[in-house]
Amino acid sequence: MSALDGARARLRAARRVAVLTGAGVSKESGIPTFREAQTGLWARFRPEELASPQAFARDPQLVWAWYAWRYALCAAARPNRAHQLLSALEARLGEGFTLATQNVDGLHARAGSTRLLELHGNLGRARCERCGERQNLPAPEAFEPPPLCQRCGAAMRPDVVWFGEMLPEAALKQAQAAFQRAEVALVVGTSGVVYPAAGLAGLAREAGAFLIEINPEPTPLSPLAQLSLRQDAGEALEALLKGEEGGSVADR
Ligand code: OAD
């Protein structure tokens, strides 16, 4: 049996599966990743220099302009095969399935994933630093940053986790528990360098899970994985989940 066949058999037999995704999963939807070269308007900024509380304090307009651009890009994008296959896997496994994502683009939810933990927040929401209120942004064409809090009137910030900030505690705990329980864990399209999300892979391995990595490039997580598929996310998930219900094209 090939390594791929072995992994497929494990996935078919598993009742508890945990998945961590990163920006690579949305690349086939046309959304640039963080650590590959940026193009166009934002090419001269490093994401690390925009996605921080210090950057926002220094120049909120600049940071909002970047988020508004990404929000419009994501709203116009569609979930791809990888998002759809992960949603189909959830439909089969139900409560045994957990999807933790570092992505803030909302594409997993639009593909129908519900057992979803958005560890780094969501681009389509704003948060009030004064009163804690959260609000969905209006449609991109009607959106003019900064949004004002409907409860207290203050200017709001993007509801995302920035460098140096804590992840939402409940979501992180649930993700950690799911990776510790998982029989099979998948790490898809992440460079595996941003903690604590990247630490989920190690937790799963320590607890005895079979770890599969999907990434065209090797990462610091590769040595932990029993199988590394050096392919695009959609293609690799297709190969892994062959024979499972593919599901129809969902976009909510
Ligand atoms: P990165 O940009 O760091 O990594 C994207 C990964 O996707 C790379 O390892 C690529 O090799 C891989 N990749 C590229 N194309 C792919 C494809 N078609 N299929 C599968 N993989 C592909 O993005 P993340 O790992 O998500 O955090 O970054 C983690 C966090 O750092 C982000 O959530 C964000 C960022 O700065 C915050 O903003 C807090």
Side-chain angles (χ1 to χ4, degrees), residues 12-26:
R12 262 199 312 274
R15 283 164 302 137
R16 292 181 306 279
V17 175
V19 183
L20 172 69
T21 61
V25 162
S26 295

Side-chain angles (χ1 to χ4, degrees), residues 166-230:
M166 305 281 280
L167 272 59
E169 200 183 326
L172 179 62
K173 281 209 171 116
Q174 280 182 60
Q176 287 168 334
F179 274 77
Q180 280 170 325
R181 271 197 315 264
E183 295 152 75
V184 176
L186 269 85
V187 177
V188 191
T190 178
S191 54
V193 296
V194 176
Y195 281 75
L200 294 169
L203 281 184
R205 277 293 277 134
E206 279 161 29
F210 186 84
L211 180 68
I212 304 168
E213 178 185 55
I214 297 176
N215 197 314
E217 306 292 332
T219 75
L221 301 179
S222 302
L224 287 179
Q226 278 101 335
L227 176 67
S228 289
L229 296 173
R230 299 268 164 256

Side-chain angles (χ1 to χ4, degrees), residues 20-186:
L20 172 69
T21 61
V25 162
S26 295
K27 186 159 170 200
E28 290 159 81
S29 294
I31 300 173
T33 63
F34 288 93
R35 288 179 180 73
E36 293 169 290
Q38 301 286 300
T39 49
L41 196 56
W42 296 100
R44 63 210 167 86
F45 295 98
R46 293 179 56 224
E48 292 86 339
E49 286 161 9
L50 293 164
S52 76
Q54 293 78 8
F56 190 63
R58 201 164 48 233
D59 195 342
Q61 273 184 324
L62 175 76
V63 173
W64 259 122
W66 185 57
Y67 277 97
W69 172 75
R70 289 176 61 208
Y71 172 50
L73 191 74
C74 295
R78 293 179 57 82
N80 64 49
R81 193 73 185 130
H83 299 108
Q84 288 155 7
L85 286 164
L86 291 173
S87 165
L89 187 59
E90 171 185 321
R92 173 166 77 75
L93 288 163
E95 292 197 348
F97 181 84
T98 301
L99 174 54
T101 188
Q102 298 166 90
N103 298 345
V104 294
D105 56 34
L107 290 178
H108 282 304
R110 281 172 54 194
S113 289
T114 60
R115 298 190 53 78
L116 174 66
L117 301 167
E118 291 182 321
L119 297 177
H120 290 171
N122 190 303
L123 270 182
R125 278 195 317 258
R127 175 156 58 86
C128 180
E129 286 185 292
R130 193 198 285 166
C131 77
E133 178 80 353
R134 287 187 159 83
Q135 268 164 223
N136 291 331
L137 300 184
E141 48 290 0
F143 176 50
E144 271 186 47
L148 299 180
C149 178
Q150 280 160 11
R151 199 203 285 170
C152 78
M156 301 175 93
R157 59 166 277 177
D159 191 15
V160 298
V161 175
W162 282 327
F163 284 98
E165 295 186 321
M166 305 281 280
L167 272 59
E169 200 183 326
L172 179 62
K173 281 209 171 116
Q174 280 182 60
Q176 287 168 334
F179 274 77
Q180 280 170 325
R181 271 197 315 264
E183 295 152 75
V184 176
L186 269 85

